[in-house]
Amino acid sequence: MEDSPTGSFEGLGLLPALVEAARGRGYGAPTPIQRDAIPPLLAGRDVIGAAQTGSGKTAAFALPLLQGVQKDPRTIQVLVLVPTRELSAQVASEFRKLGRGLHGLKVVELTGGTPAKPQRESLARGAHVAVGTPGRIEDHLERGSLDPSHIQSVVLDEADRMLDMGFGPDVRRVLGYLRRDRQTALFSATFPEAIESMVADVLRDPVAVEGDSGQDAEPDIEERYQVTGRNRFPALCAVLAHCPHESAIVFCNLKATVSEVTGSLVAAGVRADRLDGDLDQFHRDQVLSRFRGGSLSILVATDVAARGIDIDALDLVVNYELPPKPDGYVHRIGRTGRAGKSGLAVSLATRVELDGLGAFEQATGRRMSPLLPEDHPHYSAPPKNPGALLAQIREAAPMETILISGGRKDKVRPGDIVGALTGEAGGLRGDALGKIEVRDTISYVAVQRDFARRAVEALNKGRIKGKKYRATLTGSTINGPQKWTPHRG
Ligand code: AMP
């Protein structure tokens, strides 16, 4: 459909000034997400977009929403919520560039970790579009410096990342300030349950659009087996070294095995920890937080302990021991291959156990093949030096997780932690920070390993919202849980 009217920006119904600006940016034709999202957004519909950075999603919402902006009175009419200051800067810049033909257009940035006063002054002078992080936007709404009554469209950009960073409650509170008849657009690269429930709660009859085609929601799990001797650890090492992974879960049938395997992995320098019935609630939560934040690459778990854990990005599941029943097998391997990603499940089996794999194949309707080709040195004989194999995967987890002695009840919010660590106060760049999880009385922040010590120092020296808190690096639970005495200043 070469000359279909939607092959051009004009054909999408955009005003000449906006088409001109898109051309000025060097955009020849709309990208798929722009082609699909612009018409419904122009028509005032809610939109849910599955799109990654690089799909052209920013212009996909900026162009149509700019078209609806009234120059007078100069009030905020479009609000964009983003997870980070960097993204805020990019989105604001795109709005300014695409809006250059709309004379007098003002775009303000409302991000945490920067002084609020100049933001309040910009708002008081008047602006049309506000872009920022949820915590700071909520502050402005709370203080009355941001008037929500004229906001006709709100965008939740990189919604999955916002939830990952713990902004979910802030986002919901911000939405609570807005008019009910507003237009809402949500863009996200992945759609875990938390996003789906947000979509169900905040969007009205949304049009779904997709940035990249060809992604199906069917789980895509490759199932393999690896022959092992009676001592399974060398075979595990061969599997871990052979299968590149960022986050893996290793299932054992008994918690004693979990401790043993975790201990051996940790002793070899691998970033692993355990999830078993002996872990108290606090440390269980901490291990999961470290895993989600990229401070651990491997979780060793029993079935019971792994039940209901909130993790979607597993790329490898290893059955250290075969589960007793086929439905246990289906359950374990279903932990990978989620959210449109492909996954790999490898089961260790002794020669005697190989026959039993047939029951698993029947349960899934798929065949299992050996992981390694027959002529591979580790096809059936365990590697002689498993430690050397593990050396390859030691660096797999790039982050460290810091525990902070303040949480929701102290009114600590993700943006406050970002603020304390970046900018003049902390000296870190925003991109050195990862996932932030704020709990009732504590918080976790993931920081790139090289900056972790500096971050701990900055947090212990500085203040969060004027208050002192204690920060420590979290570590492995395998040598006995760390002592933690919350100390508040
Ligand atoms: P985004 O996904 O919004 O982060 O955009 C990714 C990049 O694609 C940015 O550098 C945009 O400037 C660029 N871009 C957006 N729309 C188009 C388009 N229609 N044609 C070419 N490049 C585009």
Side-chain angles (χ1 to χ4, degrees):
M1 296 227 292
E2 277 267 294
D3 48 6
S4 94
T6 54
S8 69
F9 283 108
E10 288 93 339
L12 297 176
L14 290 168
L15 291 172
L18 292 165
V19 174
E20 201 42 48
R23 209 161 279 140
R25 297 277 288 127
Y27 304 169
T31 65
I33 190 108
Q34 291 164 357
R35 188 194 58 212
D36 295 343
I38 290 173
L41 285 172
L42 280 176
R45 296 283 305 269
D46 283 4
V47 162
I48 162 171
Q52 329 241 355
T53 308
S55 58
K57 67 180 162 66
T58 315
F61 60 78
L63 286 166
L65 298 187
L66 279 168
Q67 181 145 326
V69 167
Q70 302 292 320
K71 208 160 146 193
D72 293 310
R74 222 198 241 179
T75 52
I76 298 294
Q77 297 155 53
V78 176
L79 178 66
V80 185
L81 272 60
V82 297
T84 64
R85 211 184 323 164
E86 285 77 14
L87 186 60
S88 168
Q90 281 170 37
V91 170
S93 153
E94 186 79 357
F95 265 94
R96 290 191 186 105
K97 286 174 179 156
L98 292 174
R100 65 183 187 152
L102 313 175
H103 296 288
L105 177 82
K106 285 271 177 263
V107 180
V108 290
E109 271 190 73
L110 309 174
T111 57
T114 43
K117 192 157 166 253
Q119 298 175 355
R120 283 199 295 275
E121 289 165 356
S122 300
L123 286 167
R125 279 195 298 274
H128 305 97
V129 177
V131 184
T133 45
R136 180 58 62 88
I137 288 175
E138 190 196 350
D139 284 343
H140 284 295
L141 287 164
E142 219 167 51
R143 295 182 54 124
S145 41
L146 172 59
D147 171 11
S149 60
H150 301 276
I151 296 176
Q152 59 209 14
S153 308
V154 61
V155 180
L156 311 180
D157 193 14
E158 299 201 357
D160 48 354
R161 185 105 202 275
M162 285 201 278
L163 296 194
D164 276 355
M165 292 180 73
F167 280 131
D170 307 59
V171 170
R172 284 176 185 269
R173 285 194 296 268
V174 166
L175 294 176
Y177 279 92
L178 306 186
R179 283 169 25 188
R180 298 185 65 96
D181 65 347
R182 63 160 197 271
Q183 175 182 34
T184 310
L186 180 147
F187 290 84
S188 193
T190 60
F191 287 83
E193 253 167 61
I195 293 282
E196 299 286 7
S197 79
M198 177 163 278
V199 168
D201 294 350
V202 307
L203 299 188
R204 278 172 314 161
D205 187 24
V207 178
V209 300
E210 237 178 84
D212 336 89
S213 50
Q215 276 212 349
D216 58 338
E218 267 290 292
D220 177 10
I221 307 171
E222 208 182 312
E223 290 161 78
R224 304 295 187 90
Y225 62 85
Q226 168 65 32
V227 180
T228 174
R230 285 250 300 279
N231 175 8
R232 293 165 187 261
F233 191 71
L236 173 67
C237 298
V239 169
L240 292 175
H242 188 80
C243 307
H245 59 274
E246 276 171 28
S247 49
I249 188 161
V250 176
F251 281 106
C252 304
N253 293 348
L254 299 172
K255 66 186 179 193
T257 322
V258 168
S259 294
E260 211 177 282
V261 172
T262 312
S264 305
L265 288 172
V266 170
V270 175
R271 313 267 288 186
D273 213 330
R274 67 196 165 117
L275 209 55
D276 64 36
D278 285 345
L279 224 51
D280 61 48
Q281 192 53 42
F282 176 84
H283 287 94
R284 176 184 162 83
D285 177 59
Q286 179 166 313
V287 167
L288 287 170
S289 184
R290 299 181 71 222
F291 190 65
R292 282 191 291 263
S295 298
L296 294 171
S297 59
I298 298 176
L299 275 186
V300 188
T302 57
D303 293 287
V304 174
R307 201 171 281 161
I309 57 174
D310 172 22
I311 283 167
D312 354 85
L314 280 173
D315 36 28
L316 174 65
V317 169
V318 181
N319 290 316
Y320 189 76
E321 297 158 306
L322 298 177
K325 289 193 187 136
D327 58 345
Y329 176 79
V330 173
H331 211 254
R332 284 184 184 181
I333 67 163
R335 290 252 153 229
T336 186
R338 293 196 178 176
K341 292 194 186 134
S342 63
L344 175 63
V346 183
S347 300
L348 303 186
T350 61
R351 292 191 175 283
V352 176
E353 288 169 338
L354 285 176
D355 274 348
L357 297 181
F360 299 155
E361 292 182 334
Q362 254 173 13
T364 60
R366 290 185 294 261
R367 287 199 69 81
M368 292 163 79
S369 53
L371 176 68
L372 301 173
E374 244 170 272
D375 56 357
H376 193 282
H378 303 147
Y379 169 72
S380 62
K384 295 240 159 49
N385 187 357
L389 284 174
L390 289 180
Q392 300 171 23
I393 61 165
R394 269 183 209 151
E395 300 302 314
M399 310 296 273
E400 289 283 2
T401 297
I402 298 170
L403 169 59
I404 303 170
S405 66
R408 242 185 320 259
K409 291 198 168 140
D410 310 283
K411 304 246 184 321
V412 169
R413 288 188 305 212
D416 304 323
I417 297 174
V418 175
L421 284 170
T422 62
E424 275 172 41
L428 265 71
R429 286 170 42 134
D431 53 14
L433 303 189
K435 215 170 180 128
I436 298 177
E437 298 185 1
V438 176
R439 307 271 191 269
D440 277 349
T441 58
I442 54 155
S443 307
Y444 293 108
V445 54
V447 176
Q448 279 177 17
R449 235 196 272 185
D450 290 347
F451 301 103
R453 300 226 159 262
R454 234 169 80 193
V456 168
E457 248 172 60
L459 287 168
N460 280 318
K461 267 204 227 133
R463 289 166 185 269
I464 300 175
K465 278 196 163 157
K467 265 177 83 180
K468 281 257 172 219
Y469 294 98
R470 205 158 72 85
T472 43
L473 275 185
T474 58
S476 165
T477 67
I478 201 70
N479 303 315
Q482 282 177 301
K483 288 225 163 47
W484 169 253
T485 37
H487 153 98
R488 285 134 188 286

